[in-house]
Amino acid sequence: MNHRTPQPLARQEVLSVRLHPSRTGARLARELAALWLSGGTATRAVTGDALQVVAELAANAAVHGRVPGRFFLLTLRLTSADSVLRIEATDTRPDRLPTPQTPPTDSESGRGLLIVKALAARWGVTEGPTPRKTVWAELDLAPERDHPGPTD
């Protein structure tokens, strides 16, 4: 084993990282989530959905939750006996609570929360502690018995 041999990352139970509230920070959030999710038990379909949710929540935190000089926090964790992936983006703009709205058809943005709502099993907002809010989404990793997911 040497520095030229690729080594797998040690899998942590939780990924939690502070990121700059910018497009670069949002992109880094998605890349770090992809690394954390690689080698896990999630199917490719769930991993793709999770990365899209991370991208949307991180972009919202960077654009709408931005306060100069303050970072946003991205957290991913497995819960409920590793059957649920919880994704959280915490920012310091508690005065700007997200609400999904359908933008005009010619708009190039404004669909992020609609995407999160469509991909996640559950999502919501937790306020506090001051001056923070956390927008979270949960994805079920095991398909429900009545609704089998796609096979990989």
Side-chain angles (χ1 to χ4, degrees):
M1 193 180 315
N2 61 41
H3 69 280
R4 292 186 181 140
T5 305
Q7 301 299 315
L9 296 173
R11 176 114 172 140
Q12 300 293 318
E13 289 183 24
V14 175
L15 169 68
S16 186
V17 60
R18 287 178 30 179
L19 297 159
H20 189 270
S22 63
R23 292 184 192 279
T24 301
R27 185 174 60 245
L28 181 57
R30 188 179 191 287
E31 292 171 3
L32 291 171
L35 282 172
W36 188 80
L37 288 166
S38 67
T41 58
T43 64
R44 271 185 277 154
V46 170
T47 298
D49 289 351
L51 292 177
Q52 186 64 49
V53 169
V54 167
E56 299 301 339
L57 295 183
N60 283 350
V63 173
H64 303 295
R66 181 185 173 134
V67 173
R70 295 189 180 166
F71 292 81
F72 75 92
L73 179 68
L74 172 72
T75 305
L76 279 74
R77 73 172 47 92
L78 294 174
T79 62
S80 301
D82 292 349
S83 65
V84 174
L85 173 64
R86 184 175 175 99
I87 302 164
E88 301 175 348
T90 302
D91 64 53
T92 54
R93 288 294 304 267
D95 57 316
R96 298 191 74 179
L97 296 178
T99 55
Q101 300 174 356
T102 304
T105 55
D106 61 345
S107 177
E108 293 182 8
S109 63
R111 293 172 181 81
L113 287 177
L114 295 174
I115 293 169
V116 170
K117 185 178 176 183
L119 296 176
R122 295 159 295 284
W123 79 279
V125 180
T126 304
E127 296 182 62
T130 301
R132 292 182 281 281
K133 74 168 177 301
T134 299
V135 182
W136 57 269
E138 293 180 341
L139 285 82
D140 294 328
L141 299 181
E144 296 179 15
R145 288 183 215 174
D146 297 337
H147 303 1
T151 57
D152 285 331

